[in-house]
């Protein structure tokens, strides 16, 4: 075996101790060869070149010294002119000879020798084989003209007073200055703007021209007018400025020739310099220049990074960002790789924005551009995705790279990132705030199906408004809707709050009710000081602490409010200012004055209770006594509190399932979905199946070996369908299903979900949805009537139309929604009673939803929108009926959620909790209840608030109200009957036809077209020319013709749908029952005043406590399951 120690080579000489003692002598006996590299740089020429040219700092010093020499030579020339006496000599001799003193001559000779030596040395070092290239350079020729004559005077003293044009050294000084600036840029590793260089060159060129002309005219006129330097300066300025007074003029031809030459040079050189300067100025205007370091350190600014800047996005950002008073002194720096378009340029020229907004053309991936934007000094960086891209995944990739680049360049800068697809969200988990568009979009559309107009509710909450929209309108609903739209979410520490300080040590429900009763504010959430999680309505068992952060809904935050007690109320109720029992509080009438808004919040006193439930209490004592409501207890009492324990096994309808459920295998379990389609989804407790459904059974329109159903009707669903029309089954669609299958949704109220997809879904998506009950998909399009009928549109509760990614980009931006709008309008005509929820790319296109060309009421709302936009409202589109009713939604309206999080860092968390995207233990959820006739005894919103808080612990946050649309007589309601064109018709028949025509569906609002009238006249004339038939045949033809004339557009559409249903083998019975509900309008009242009257069919938004928070640790479980199945659910609606 080889000895490994003998194979180890000895240490190098430098590491041996004997070499440290003997020095270099130890290297004599070594076989190693020392190699020296870069030997060519050790020559004398290379070392000189390194010092004078290559080395940045040393060459900068050399050029600075050279520049100083040239300036010194020009200064010595001026001294010589001032000391010279031009009266000596006659003729041309004063031009050739001058009077130069010996000391001055010595200084000029010294400067000339040094300059000549430096020039020759640099020419030698720059020599590359062509000597004429070095000699014929203009700087070299000027140096020879100015320096060689002085060297000759050393050896020939007679020529000591010979005139030498030393003033030409100004051009050499200009050349040295340009080289010096270039070396300066290289030395300090910073590139100053090209504008600075060009301005410097222009100024130096102009000064050199003027200085050369001054000195040349002064010297040549020694033989003429004998001008001084000042006279020559005066003449040059007057001449170059094209004024030309004529009081000073050259007398001899050489000076005149010099003036002509200088003017010609100026006419050629200066325009070129100005042209380059103008070009650079225009380029700088496009790129935006720089944001100075001094401004960045003394002022606060945020950076907005976008792929392309559109005017809508810019105005949404600016209006929302500057809506907060404390942000008025901030500056916005926009960093965008594209050139500013005309609309954005016009807006940024408005004085209000030109002083605040700075546009920089550049990329966030370049450190130079991030340095221009002073990203390291920015207060925040907003990175927005381009949602109009055809490839949204590529747009997300660009956003991710921008976020990484900013984080690498400025690690301490807070990041606010907008991402499009949820599967890309985990790449930017390091960002401070992230909004995933598809997550929010699908969750909001899902909640719209069970809590009407959730999208409008969230949109109004995340927009900044003062609640002054449409306050001058004669419509009462517009006043209420506009005033309540000003409510937003605010926060305050409990011990510092006037609203909530007195409720320390009391239950959350007690604090919420009494704060609303006294101040009109709605307490919805709380956060402990030592916990980052926000709890929505933690319930009556949560005790308020002084360090808690309270989140409430109000017109304005408490810091902007002034509280005043009305003297007359204080005197009138002086005897009631003490507590009476556990629930009595002082009676106040408080005016909250918010800036220019003053709202009188009336107090509602507590009534005595007679029952703990929401049911109508039995009346005792005097007849006609108003029913009373139980008080809200300071501390929860389990004996009187009716909790919604969804996990208890006391639900009769679930502990004993029906025979139909058992036979159909519809008994569900509760648990966490075992498979998520993307990383980063929040686990949600849901209704699940015990076993996953085979993929073949998920296909709605095709039978398989497990079932033979081929359409939605065959399944015999008990609840109405929810149909989602989308282009592809993206991972975001998973967030549509989860809120509709959450554990707190009653099992008997689960709606079947049908996904109508243009493209077949992927296997991993089917793997995620196969665990959810009653979820199906079908490949089809809303363009095809047969596909709509197969998926069960005739008995669907809601139809959700998602904007297609392939149509989001168009040559004309606002045309991106054209296909979606026309398809929805077709659905609107074919299925008038169907509740259609549509997503659009541009909010401005909301006015085309359910479009009625001749509807005077819609035209009036259009005028109202224009007025609100002129007043500067951020929510001008809020009065459009489809938006107010929650039937249309644009994801771009949620951009303000990201902007608001800069001031309110909790807004994204609260919105995710409301939408069910996040589930925090102990946090409540959003649901709704409907006011029926049995509930009208409660009468006011304040009494409803008390009833809910005292019984179930629910917190109401708003009301969704539907009213009959009171329309004036308009063209849309006037129908021209066919009988008006007939010669002789019966009066009774005429009246019946008009009545039937008025009672038809919405399609009648467009009247009979003129073409149909003309065709009827033509048919009548044609029938008159034809001989009349006698008998039943002629009568039958006439009757068919009249039936065709009288058939309305609505009847034609209904006939079309019925024929297609018969062709597909579907029963048209369900379609006959569809009624038209278009003469109603719906709107939202967020946190209405306590004295708001409840109306029939009002839907109240509730934040219900988490039922899991009240379950003990030893809670019994239901049937054993591999996903930890527990509990049962109760009904979602509160029984009043």
């Amino acid at each position: 075996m080889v000895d490994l120690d003998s194979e180890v080579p000895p240490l190098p000489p430098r590491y041996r101790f004997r070499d440290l003692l003997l020095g270099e002598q130890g290297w004599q006996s070594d076989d190693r060869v020392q190699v020296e590299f870069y030997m060519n740089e050790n020559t004398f020429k290379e070392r000189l070149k390194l010092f004078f040219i290559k080395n940045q700092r040393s060459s900068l010093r050399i050029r600075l010294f050279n520049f100083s020499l040239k300036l010194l030579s020009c200064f010595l020339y001026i001294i010589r002119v001032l000391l010279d006496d031009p009266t000596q000599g006659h003729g041309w001799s004063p031009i050739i000879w001058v009077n130069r003193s010996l000391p001055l001559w010595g200084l000029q000779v010294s400067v000339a020798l040094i300059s000549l030596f430096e020039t020759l040395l640099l020419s030698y070092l720059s020599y590359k084989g062509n000597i004429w290239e070095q000699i014929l350079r203009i700087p070299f020729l000027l140096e020879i003209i100015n320096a060689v004559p002085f060297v000759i005077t050393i050896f020939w003293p007679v020529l000591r007073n010979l005139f030498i044009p030393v003033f030409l050294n100004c051009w050499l000084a200009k050349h040295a200055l340009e080289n010096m600036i270039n070396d300066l840029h290289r030395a300090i590793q910073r590139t100053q703007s090209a504008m600075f260089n060009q301005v410097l060159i222009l100024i130096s060129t102009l000064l050199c021209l003027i200085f050369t002309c001054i000195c040349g005219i002064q010297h040549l006129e020694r033989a003429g007018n004998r001008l001084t330097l000042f006279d020559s300066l005066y003449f040059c300025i007057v001449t170059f400025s094209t004024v030309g007074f004529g009081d000073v003029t050259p007398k001899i031809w050489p000076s005149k020739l010099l003036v002509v030459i200088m003017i010609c040079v100026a006419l050629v050189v200066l325009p070129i310099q100005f042209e380059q300067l103008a070009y650079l100025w225009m380029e700088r205007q496009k790129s935006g220049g720089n944001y100075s370091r001094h401004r960045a350190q003394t002022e606060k600014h945020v950076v907005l990074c976008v792929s392309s800047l559109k005017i809508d996005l810019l105005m949404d950002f600016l209006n929302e960002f500057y809506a907060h008073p404390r942000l008025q002194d901030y500056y916005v720096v926009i960093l965008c790789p594209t050139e500013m378009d005309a609309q954005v340029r016009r807006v940024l020229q408005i004085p209000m924005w030109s002083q605040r907004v700075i546009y920089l053309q550049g990329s966030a991936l370049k450190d130079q551009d991030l340095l221009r934007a002073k990203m390291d000094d920015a207060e925040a960086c907003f990175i927005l995705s381009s949602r109009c891209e055809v490839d949204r995944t590529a747009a997300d990739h660009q956003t991710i790279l921008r976020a990484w680049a900013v984080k690498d360049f400025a690690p301490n800068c807070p990041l606010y990132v907008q991402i499009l697809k949820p599967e890309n969200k985990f790449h930017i988990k390091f960002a401070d705030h992230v909004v995933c568009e598809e997550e929010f979009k699908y969750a909001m559309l899902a909640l719209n199906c069970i809590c009407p107009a959730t999208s409008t509710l969230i949109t109004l909450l995340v927009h900044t408004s003062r609640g002054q929209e449409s306050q001058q309108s004669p419509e009462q609903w517009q006043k209420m809707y506009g005033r309540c739209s000003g409510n937003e979410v605010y926060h305050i520490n409990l011990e510092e709050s006037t609203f909530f300080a007195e409720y320390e040590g009391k239950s959350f429900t007690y604090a919420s009710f009494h704060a609303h009763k006294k101040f009109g504010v709605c307490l919805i959430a709380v956060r402990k000081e030592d916990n980052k999680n926000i709890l929505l309505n933690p319930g009556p068992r949560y005790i308020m602490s002084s360090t808690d952060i309270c989140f409430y809904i109000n017109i304005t935050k408490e810091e902007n409010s002034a509280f005043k007690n009305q003297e007359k109320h204080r005197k009138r109720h002086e005897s009631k200012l003490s507590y009476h029992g556990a629930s009595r509080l002082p009676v106040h009438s408080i005016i909250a004055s918010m800036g220019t808004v003053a709202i009188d919040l009336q107090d509602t006193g507590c009534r005595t209770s007679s029952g703990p439930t929401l049911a109508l209490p039995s009346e005792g004592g005097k007849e006609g006594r108003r029913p009373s409501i139980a008080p809200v207890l300071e501390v929860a009492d389990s004996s009187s509190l009716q909790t919604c324990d969804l996990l208890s096994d006391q639900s009769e309808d679930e502990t004993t399932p029906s025979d139909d459920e058992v036979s159909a295998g519809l008994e569900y379990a509760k648990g966490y979905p075992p498979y998520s389609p993307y990383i980063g989804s929040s686990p949600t407790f849901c209704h699940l199946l015990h076993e996953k459904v085979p993929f073949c059974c998920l296909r709605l329109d095709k039978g398989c070996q497990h079932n033979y159903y081929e359409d939605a009707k065959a399944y015999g669903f008990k609840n109405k369908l929810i149909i989602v029309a989308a282009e592809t089954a993206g991972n975001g669609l998973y967030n549509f299903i989860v809120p509709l299958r959450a554990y707190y949704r009653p099992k008997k109220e689960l709606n079947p979900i049908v996904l109508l997809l243009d493209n077949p879904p992927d296997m991993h998506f089917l793997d995620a949805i196969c665990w959810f009950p009653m979820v199906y998909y079908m490949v089809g399009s809303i363009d095809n009537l047969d596909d709509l009928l197969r998926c069960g549109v005739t008995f669907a509760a809601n139809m959700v139309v998602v904007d297609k990614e392939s149509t989001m980009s168009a040559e004309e931006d606002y045309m991106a929604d054209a296909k979606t709008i026309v398809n929805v309008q077709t659905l609107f005509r074919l299925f008038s009673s169907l509740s259609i929820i549509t997503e659009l790319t541009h909010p401005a296109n909301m006015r085309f939803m359910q479009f009625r060309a001749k509807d005077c009421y819609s035209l009036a709302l259009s005028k109202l929108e224009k007025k609100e936009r002129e007043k500067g409202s951020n929510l001008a589109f809020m009065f459009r009926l489809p938006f107010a009713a929650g039937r249309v939604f644009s994801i771009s309206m949620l951009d303000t959620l990201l902007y608001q999080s800069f001031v309110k860092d909790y807004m994204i968390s609260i919105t995710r909790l409301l939408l069910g995207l996040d589930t925090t233990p102990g946090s409540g959820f959003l649901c709704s209840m409907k006011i029926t006739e049995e509930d009208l005894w409660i009468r006011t919103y304040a009494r409803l608030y008390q009833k809910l808080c005292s019984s179930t612990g629910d917190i109401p946050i708003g009301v969704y109200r539907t009213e009959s649309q009171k329309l004036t007589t308009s063209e849309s309601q006037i129908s021209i009957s066919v009988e008006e064109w007939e010669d002789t018709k019966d009066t009774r028949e005429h009246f019946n036809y008009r009545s039937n025509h008025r009672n038809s569906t919405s399609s009648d609002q467009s009247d009979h077209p003129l073409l149909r009238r003309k065709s009827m006249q033509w048919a009548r004339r044609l029938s008159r020319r034809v001989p009349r038939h006698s008998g039943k045949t002629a009568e039958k033809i006439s009757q068919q013709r009249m039936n065709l004339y009288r058939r309305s557009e609505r009847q034609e559409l209904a006939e079309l749908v019925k024929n297609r249903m018969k062709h597909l083998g579907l029963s048209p019975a369900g379609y006959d029952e569809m009624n038209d509900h278009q003469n109603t309008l719906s709107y939202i009242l967020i946190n209405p005043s306590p004295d708001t009257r409840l109306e029939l069919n009002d839907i109240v938004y509730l934040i219900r406590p988490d039922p899991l928070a009240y379950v003990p640790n030893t809670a019994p479980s239901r049937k054993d399951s591999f996903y930890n199945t527990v509990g049962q659910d109760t009904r979602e609606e509160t029984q009043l």
Side-chain angles (χ1 to χ4, degrees), residues 255-272:
S255 58
K256 294 179 180 180
L257 180 62
L258 178 62
V259 171
V260 172
I261 294 174
M262 296 305 296
I263 290 177
C264 293
V265 171
L267 290 177
V268 174
V269 175
L270 291 182
I272 295 176

Side-chain angles (χ1 to χ4, degrees), residues 13 16 18-19 22 24-32:
R16 293 186 293 197
R18 66 184 182 89
D19 293 319
L22 299 177
E24 297 296 331
Q25 296 178 0
W27 290 62
Q28 301 295 331
S29 59
D30 202 328
D31 295 335
R32 296 175 182 273

Side-chain angles (χ1 to χ4, degrees), residues 63 66-67 171-181:
R63 296 187 190 279
N66 188 20
F67 176 71
W171 296 99
L172 295 177
K174 170 183 173 293
H175 181 69
L177 179 62
E178 294 178 11
N179 293 333
M180 183 175 64
I181 294 298

Side-chain angles (χ1 to χ4, degrees), residues 309-321 347-348 350 352-353 874 899:
L309 187 63
K310 302 296 183 182
I311 186 64
D312 292 338
L313 185 146
L314 175 64
M315 295 312 301
D316 286 344
F317 178 84
L318 295 179
N319 289 330
E320 188 62 38
F321 186 80
V347 169
L348 295 186
I350 300 175
M352 181 173 62
W353 304 125
N874 298 341
Y899 311 151

Side-chain angles (χ1 to χ4, degrees), residues 80-95 97-99 217-229 231:
R80 198 272 309 162
V81 172
L82 294 177
L83 296 178
D84 193 11
D85 184 10
T87 58
Q88 298 178 359
H90 302 281
W92 297 99
S93 61
I95 298 178
W97 303 98
V98 295
N99 186 14
I217 294 297
Q218 187 274 333
H219 179 72
L220 293 176
E221 284 298 317
R222 286 165 58 90
N225 289 339
R226 295 189 174 96
L227 299 176
T228 63
L229 279 177
D231 293 335

